[in-house]
Amino acid sequence: GNMSFSCLESPLVPVTFLSSSSYLALPGTSGQEEVSISFQFRTWNKEGLLLSTKLHQTSGGLLLYLSDGKVKMSLYKPGKALSDITAGTGLNNGQWHSVSFSAKRNRISVIVDNDVTLSAHATIPLQIYSGDTFYFGGCPNSGNNTQCNSSFGGFQGCMQLFSIDNKPVDMIAVQQNFLGNFSDLQIDLCGIIDRCLPNFCEHGGECSQSWNNFYCNCINTGYKGATCHYSIYEQSCEAYKHRGNTSGFYNIDSDGSGPLGPFLVYCNMTDTTWTIIQHNNTNLTRVKSANRENPHTVFFKYSASLDQLQAAINHAEHCEQELAYHCKKSRLLDKQNGMPLSWWIGRTNETQTYWGGSLPTVQKCACGLEGSCIDSQHYCNCDADRDEWSNDTGYLSYKDHLPVTEMVITDTDRPNSEAAYKLGPLLCQGDKAFWNSASFNTETSYLHFPTFHGELSADMSFFFKTTASSGVFLENLGIQDFIRIELYSPSEVIFSFDVGNGPSEIIMQTRTSLNDNQWHYVKAERNIKEASLQVDQLPQKSQAAPSDGHIRLQLNSQLFVGGTASRQKGFLGCIRSLHLNGIALDLEERAKITPGVEPGCPGHCSSYGNLCHNGGKCREKYTGFSCDCTFSAYAGPFCKKGKHISAYFGTGTSVTYNFQEYYTLAKNSSSHASSFYADMTLSREAITFTFRTTRTPSLLLYVSSFYKEYLSVILTKNGDLQIRYKLDSHQDPDVFNINFKSLADGQLQHVKINREEEILFIEVNQNERMKFILSSGTEFNAIKSLTLGKILESSDVDEETMKANSQGFIGCLSSVQFNHIAPLKAALHHSSSAPIIVKGRLTESNCGTLTGVDSTSSETTHSFADHSGPIDEGEPLANAIRSDSAIIGGVIAVVIFILLCITAIAIRIYKKKGTYSKNEPKGSENEDGTESTLKNELNVQNTANENQKEYFF
């Protein structure tokens, strides 16, 4: 019949809208009561005009546009929207999407992608008649064009398959100017660019794009920056510590901006910083019925991957892991054939037969190295094969083999044979990269390292300190490209670079000079989207990368550190903790073989000394610093952790802390003395202490001056707290009473006293702070000493203070702090080095804690009893007799206590022996009850052994 051996299809002619000023105008049939328009579009932009037309015989029009990736239709009249409907979502994903719009009488509809579930319909209050021109993608630039509404901005992307009134539009005719008109179009080509293929967002960042650019969403990745390149976490616990953080859980990113992700660890911030990485099996686990054919195998899963663990271990100065192996007729080594009966496997997946406390090169346990095994013929305690519990326990510390990932036990299938193991967490200490440094002593000296060649991004971070006004920190050159970071002036750092599109630079100016011999931090990054520079804690400065540069860096020379290839403008000073793309460079090793450069940089306290709080002193270390809390009332790595140091004061006890020695020559004239003691003149004090007593009146605290000025804190006869300030030797003291209740009730009382010049604040037991005004002066001149308990030297004080001092203080004082001085801590822990004098009986106690009430009451019942009248201190013979009687009674009590203990232990051993005959479950057990039972068995055996030795003695 009538057929043709060809298939004629309408040619597919896409159109590219190149800019926001592009548009396509196509004619329509004016006045028709039915309107039907369809087309396909493709874009990355969330916003843009798709279609605009003026309706026939009305002053309004019709708009079809993209808003937040959705198609919206708006029917409007001037100043009034008649109808708005929305269809579809996420249509800016770079894929082709179809849109069909139809209107008949007063019914309109929009369908997206031929999916009825993505359609929208509406009924409008007027009849629609088609206009004569349809504008796609934008409007002409002519300002008097009333046919097109361009308020939504132009469309950038591609369109195709236009149809008006159910008739396809011949785009070739449009291209040849036979139909419609257009501006800034590319016909017969979709020129849209997929800027997320390949995806330049790193570390799992989600890529999205517009017509001109791509964007990276870094949420929940642990990274930041334009391409999610830079980690938001520190690389080690050491780095967190030197930001002032205290112990706790932290995410660390051991390779920084490298491919490995962050993971959670516990940072134990002591003088030495420990990183603690847990695994899934930390219980003490019993093993029975295991042999070579049916071994007991356990796998240890850590909170990080092996690659992450390796990076953390490589960063650390030292790592260790405790492995405890308890055995009863269970050997580690078969001495006859030299074959191991139990072994463990580490990170390198190699079998290891040495045990805790030993070395990798020998098949021994710790006792074998020390020559202390229970059987000298064997190198492990367990190899003695005794029918009683023994153990080979110690730390594995060879970093290349850590952590332990697997353990195999085979020798527990003989009668009465059993083993138990416990593997501790991986412990790593320090960060050798954080303090790795080099000192550059000449302007012509430098270190060189491998280059950034071929990298997508280059990030550099380091610390520096110098007294020079300029110098180059880093330089990396290529045939055309280069990267350089330099100190251009004392307050200006410049990051300059060229990646094939001409030189650019970012200049960061600081308010203070950077050549102050303090450590300063610099971070610079260049990636495909932008370049950035940060100095210290100043806001980061960024600039967009030109679009025509190299995607990958073409830097094929060495990286010069501390100088340049031309040996000009070299850097004089120290550079520390240099990281390139997350990789730490070993400056110290390279400096050892480089003339003019020395490994290491001293002087960390000048920059980090402010981290030592509450009177703690910064002490220099080769790798960093530490805070000496000897003379602070606080403890911890930064002297910030409160430490309750309490002491019981007996009759006549006195603790005196001397601020300065007394020099008679300096006191000959008031002018000389004033200048000599000027540094000990105070305009403010912060005093805190806790006390417990039943004695009144009592002297709690007294601060003296070389000028007969003083501060005394006393309890009056009726138990009121009284603060007496005398800041003018020619006036009577200011006296302030706190009398809401008696504080001599044997309960713990908390006192805070703060003075700011003439304003005094007093707070007792966390009640409302009271405010007072001093009239005697604002300066406490030439303070001499602080006394707790009783004043022993002659002093010019008022009568009430003397009455309180006559009995001194009997009771408990705790957590005493005067500004940054802790006199009790100095007296109890550092009496040999501190300027402290202790007279009488001073006993450290826990009486200053709420839990210490019972223990201290039994210890000091005699002192808290309510005595009436003065104590007669003139009967030394009677006191001596009472003291001897107390000693004899104490000896008798100790003997009785020892006899009772021996009886209790014997009964316990007898009971435990009865449990040995009970049936025990077989196999591996690690429940809490089983672990507790095993620990009891081990303790009983140890107790029995100790008792045998004691009985023999």
Side-chain angles (χ1 to χ4, degrees), residues 507-817:
I507 301 174
M508 176 72 78
Q509 292 184 330
T510 62
R511 294 181 179 179
T512 58
S513 295
L514 300 173
N515 61 340
D516 56 358
N517 208 29
Q518 305 284 316
W519 285 113
H520 296 281
Y521 178 67
V522 176
K523 182 186 74 174
E525 181 184 352
R526 191 275 172 191
N527 56 56
I528 192 173
K529 278 187 65 70
E530 68 177 17
S532 62
L533 176 65
Q534 182 178 3
V535 177
D536 290 335
Q537 300 303 316
L538 296 174
Q540 180 177 283
K541 198 170 184 179
S542 305
Q543 71 178 38
S547 58
D548 54 349
H550 299 140
I551 293 178
R552 295 189 177 274
L553 300 174
Q554 298 181 13
L555 302 166
N556 48 15
S557 75
Q558 293 285 307
L559 172 71
F560 293 89
V561 179
T564 65
S566 61
R567 296 183 179 269
Q568 296 178 355
K569 298 176 65 177
F571 172 72
L572 290 173
C574 288
I575 294 178
R576 173 173 68 83
S577 189
L578 174 59
H579 288 79
L580 305 181
N581 279 355
I583 300 174
L585 300 188
D586 195 340
L587 299 175
E588 295 186 357
E589 283 300 314
R590 194 63 60 95
K592 291 176 182 178
I593 57 174
T594 305
V597 185
E598 294 181 0
C601 288
H604 301 297
C605 283
S606 60
S607 297
Y608 296 106
N610 61 336
L611 292 177
C612 299
H613 297 274
N614 300 308
K617 301 299 182 183
C618 184
R619 304 297 185 196
E620 290 286 347
K621 296 167 61 178
Y622 180 75
T623 55
F625 72 99
S626 65
C627 294
D628 184 354
C629 307
T630 299
F631 302 115
S632 171
Y634 292 78
F638 304 115
C639 309
K640 293 173 67 176
K641 184 178 180 182
K643 188 173 182 180
H644 296 285
I645 296 180
S646 310
Y648 168 71
F649 282 65
T651 303
T653 301
S654 173
V655 174
T656 301
Y657 186 100
N658 292 303
F659 296 104
Q660 293 200 44
E661 293 294 334
Y662 178 71
Y663 293 95
T664 54
L665 292 177
K667 198 180 178 185
N668 286 340
S669 69
S670 61
S671 60
H672 289 155
S674 177
S675 61
F676 185 80
Y677 296 117
D679 60 327
M680 294 306 293
T681 295
L682 302 178
S683 61
R684 57 178 58 86
E685 295 91 43
I687 306 168
T688 59
F689 62 91
T690 303
F691 72 92
R692 187 202 306 270
T693 189
T694 59
R695 300 293 298 271
T696 62
S698 292
L699 176 72
L700 297 171
L701 179 145
Y702 173 74
V703 182
S704 65
S705 162
F706 287 108
Y707 293 160
K708 300 182 180 181
E709 299 173 5
Y710 63 85
L711 159 66
S712 64
V713 182
I714 65 174
L715 283 181
T716 62
K717 181 69 176 177
N718 57 1
D720 294 344
L721 182 70
Q722 193 173 91
I723 291 88
R724 309 179 73 87
Y725 259 106
K726 185 172 183 178
L727 301 185
D728 187 337
S729 59
H730 303 293
Q731 292 187 23
D732 292 334
D734 290 310
V735 180
F736 307 100
N737 279 295
I738 311 299
N739 55 7
F740 58 87
K741 74 163 193 170
S742 173
L743 299 182
D745 57 0
Q747 301 299 313
L748 207 59
Q749 316 290 349
H750 301 268
V751 179
K752 290 184 179 179
I753 302 171
N754 292 86
R755 181 180 72 90
E756 294 279 344
E757 296 184 339
E758 75 278 4
I759 301 175
L760 180 67
F761 295 98
I762 302 173
E763 180 182 326
V764 179
N765 293 334
Q766 299 179 344
N767 292 315
E768 183 178 356
R769 192 167 68 157
M770 293 165 280
K771 179 180 178 181
F772 303 94
I773 304 297
L774 274 70
S775 62
S776 61
T778 62
E779 291 187 342
F780 199 168
N781 294 293
I783 62 171
K784 178 183 178 183
S785 62
L786 180 150
T787 299
L788 304 173
K790 188 168 186 178
I791 308 169
L792 298 180
E793 62 180 19
S794 60
S795 57
D796 297 317
V797 295
D798 59 272
E799 184 178 352
E800 289 297 322
T801 302
M802 288 301 297
K803 287 181 181 179
N805 187 58
S806 64
Q807 293 201 116
F809 175 78
I810 300 175
C812 172
L813 273 176
S814 174
S815 305
V816 182
Q817 183 164 356

Side-chain angles (χ1 to χ4, degrees), residues 13-33:
V13 182
V15 177
T16 304
F17 293 76
L18 297 172
S19 68
S20 58
S21 61
S22 301
Y23 74 92
L24 170 65
L26 296 175
T29 304
S30 179
Q32 288 192 331
E33 64 178 12

Side-chain angles (χ1 to χ4, degrees), residues 44-45 193-202 205-218 225-229 456-457 526-530 544-547 551:
W44 294 108
N45 290 2
I193 300 174
D194 190 344
R195 301 184 184 276
C196 289
L197 191 65
N199 185 1
F200 293 114
C201 300
E202 301 178 54
E206 183 180 343
C207 182
S208 62
Q209 74 169 77
S210 64
W211 179 260
N212 295 316
N213 215 334
F214 73 93
Y215 309 94
C216 296
N217 183 354
C218 305
T227 59
C228 309
H229 176 73
L456 278 172
S457 303
R526 191 275 172 191
N527 56 56
I528 192 173
K529 278 187 65 70
E530 68 177 17
S547 58
I551 293 178

